[in-house]
């Protein structure tokens, strides 16, 4: 068997990680011939529960699970890892404003950014814990690891958008391509209904109902998280976990010709975004962990309004944490 | 793409199913070219939560997920299914005796056994909901589907035992083969330490510590469920889900030459077990859903004592529900 691939997961005793770890360990992500070594980070009060998760991982007798380390020190968790999936973050408490939440999470990602200096030279860091774009910005700015190694998750929004369009058009999800979620993983994200394609044709052509596309479609994607909580009585876990794994695989496998995927990465000014903001873009990857922003996509004035709104939100978030950058 | 494989899952809004459904839908179990149609059963009070799970399944945009039906009627859930995974059962309430639990669950499996008459002609039914052996017996006796189509899950115990032996011997789980869990998925199960092999040799030879093997090893496997609850603060879910999927795959793929797997099936008197008890045996399968009991395994007098104890427990369980058979 090949050398184990080393994957760190933070917030490892939480619900999203519970849906990530078993799929990682089962061989479903890196294949049946690639052993996986898990390095799991939690805060001290969650270590006992994490021990229970480790017992269950062992109880699966996965042939591809090469080892598990658990720790409450980020430096130990990230030591030598090839992938770091940063799931853990503080949830919003009662009466807490968005700005408070962002400021509360900041210090966690300062420390984790520094600790990523211990990772393998090929490390790729995926930030899932919310507010993921700004958490990613903080980690990146506090790390010596190259900016191109960081990304934040827009994939749950992309998958939700693709699924909705497939349902509306009566086509399969595979036929829905070229979906971009611009900007921030927040209620102000802009799911691009002008550039997405269904069966190779513009969705605006395939779905005659333009009012739905510009109205309910975008709102449904933006508010889907809250709708899942209402129905399930708990926030999205398995679907968020799946999105994190899809995000990882989109960096680890070549993008299909003509298609792209959505992730938030360090801007180099593309589409007029401030340099170094972690912004949701259309990306392609040759499958070696690197990526390129797809440039030159057209946008109507209406779309530009949505784009500016989410760009301003990310600028505001950056302002909240400027002392940490 | 091929015709969808139709899989029913009961207790579909519960924690074990939450860890089964996304792996089934992702293509990890039946492969990337075989679409899966999920048919999900819940009791009326859980339908809202189940709706939330369906939202999340859709939010994964799995290319292999061909469709999802949800219902609170077993006849609808099982209509035309190729596999039925019976996860749902009543949990033990405060002050409830084992006999009470068994009697409370009985009527559920009477109805589900009858409803399985609606399934496809190649249906295989896997009972996970506890007490799974006796629940399986009730379903089988109330169904016109052939007895050979029913099995109950011993695989979590098998996987736990393999993992423990791998850890103790410093070998990989793949090197631990020929593990039988005899009898009942209960504290009286007998994990066979005399016939299990490590790297092709008897475990008793590889692990010098016979006292551990006959004592702590067996006790640890028997009590592992309670130990996970203590650590995690919740009962085994992802590892139970994984065991159900391993069980399914052991029927859907050929058994490795010389090895076997553990599942509880309808006895034809093998090893002196009463005919029609659902008993944990060593099995092989050519991978078409059929199975054969591996006969003639030796047992010491000490092992025979363990075997008789668990056999008597299953006889007692049958007595509790004799009015339903």
């Amino acid at each position: 068997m090949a050398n184990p691939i080393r994957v760190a997961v933070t917030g490892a005793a939480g619900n999203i990680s519970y849906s990530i770890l078993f799929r990682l360990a089962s061989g479903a992500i890196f294949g049946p011939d690639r052993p996986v070594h898990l390095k799991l980070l939690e805060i001290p009060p969650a270590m006992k529960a994490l021990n229970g998760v480790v017992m269950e991982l062992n109880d699966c007798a996965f042939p591809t699970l090469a080892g598990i380390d658990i720790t409450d020190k980020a430096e130990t968790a990230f030591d030598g890892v090839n992938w770091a999936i940063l799931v853990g973050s503080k949830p919003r408490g009662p009466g807490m404003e968005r700005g408070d939440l962002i400021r509360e999470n900041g210090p966690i990602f300062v420390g984790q950014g520094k600790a990523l200096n211990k990772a393998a030279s090929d490390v790729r860091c995926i930030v899932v814990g919310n507010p993921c774009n700004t958490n990613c910005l903080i980690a990146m700015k506090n790390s010596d690891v190259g900016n191109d190694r960081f990304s934040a998750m827009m994939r749950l929004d992309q998958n939700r958008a693709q699924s909705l369009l497939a349902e509306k058009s009566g086509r399969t999800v595979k036929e829905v391509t070229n979906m971009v979620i611009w900007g921030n993983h927040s209620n102000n994200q802009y799911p691009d209904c002008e550039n997405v394609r269904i069966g190779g044709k513009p969705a605006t052509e395939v779905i005659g109902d333009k009012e739905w596309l510009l109205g309910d479609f975008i709102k449904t994607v933006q508010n889907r998280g809250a709708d899942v909580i209402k129905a399930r009585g708990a926030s999205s876990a398995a679907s968020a976990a799946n999105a994190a794994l899809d995000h990882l695989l989109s960096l680890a496998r070549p993008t299909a010709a003509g298609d792209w995927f959505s992730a938030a990465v360090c801007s180099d000014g593309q589409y007029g975004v401030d340099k170094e903001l972690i912004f949701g873009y259309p990306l392609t990857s040759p499958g070696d962990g690197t990526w390129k922003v797809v440039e030159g996509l057209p946008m109507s004035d209406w779309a530009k309004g949505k784009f500016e709104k989410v760009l301003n939100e990310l600028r505001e978030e950056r302002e909240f944490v400027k002392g940490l950058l």
Side-chain angles (χ1 to χ4, degrees), chain A residues 53-282:
Chain A
V53 175
V54 171
M55 289 170 80
E56 282 208 79
L57 280 163
N58 286 327
D59 288 353
C60 291
F62 288 126
T64 39
L65 181 55
I68 313 174
D69 303 325
I70 68 172
T71 175
D72 58 7
K73 307 267 179 297
E75 301 73 35
T76 310
F78 296 158
D79 189 20
V81 297
N82 310 104
W83 293 91
I85 310 178
L86 277 47
V87 180
S89 65
K90 278 199 184 172
R92 195 189 290 216
M96 200 188 263
E97 296 292 323
R98 187 170 169 86
D100 298 333
L101 176 73
I102 292 170
R103 277 185 291 259
E104 286 267 320
N105 268 290
I108 300 173
F109 290 86
V110 170
Q112 295 189 355
K114 292 192 170 124
L116 277 163
N117 296 343
K118 293 269 191 185
S121 61
D122 68 347
V123 69
R124 307 282 158 181
C125 173
I126 302 170
V127 183
V128 175
N130 285 320
C132 66
N133 298 56
T134 295
N135 289 341
C136 184
L137 174 67
I138 298 168
M140 181 184 84
K141 294 293 283 181
N142 284 280
S143 181
D144 300 333
V145 170
N147 289 1
D148 59 322
R149 303 309 178 105
F150 287 85
S151 55
M153 189 170 97
M154 309 295 287
R155 189 54 167 267
L156 183 50
D157 310 300
Q158 178 192 328
N159 285 348
R160 286 164 170 170
Q162 281 182 247
S163 167
L164 272 172
L165 292 175
E167 192 195 343
K168 180 77 174 178
S169 61
R171 311 288 276 267
T172 67
V173 286
K174 251 192 156 166
E175 290 176 284
V176 182
T177 61
N178 304 83
M179 186 75 235
V180 200
I181 310 291
W182 296 99
N184 200 6
H185 174 60
S186 77
N187 289 353
N188 288 312
Q189 64 177 266
Y190 168 46
D192 187 331
C193 48
E194 294 175 346
N195 288 295
V196 61
R197 296 182 157 255
I198 303 177
K201 290 186 187 150
T204 43
E205 241 175 66
V206 179
I207 294 173
D209 189 350
K210 205 175 164 185
E211 202 181 328
W212 177 84
L213 211 47
L214 273 57
D216 279 355
F217 164 66
I218 293 179
K219 271 194 212 124
T220 304
V221 177
Q222 288 173 336
N223 299 317
R224 182 75 167 180
D227 291 341
V228 169
I229 292 175
K230 263 183 230 156
R232 209 168 77 82
S235 61
S236 300
S239 56
N242 178 67
L245 297 171
D246 276 352
H247 177 132
L248 184 158
L249 287 172
S250 286
L251 292 169
R253 293 179 184 166
T255 311
D259 202 359
W260 57 66
F261 62 95
S262 291
V265 293
C266 179
S267 173
D268 193 36
Q270 297 97 332
Y271 295 92
V273 173
D274 314 24
K275 280 198 180 192
E276 292 198 340
L277 270 188
I278 303 292
F279 196 86
Y281 279 125

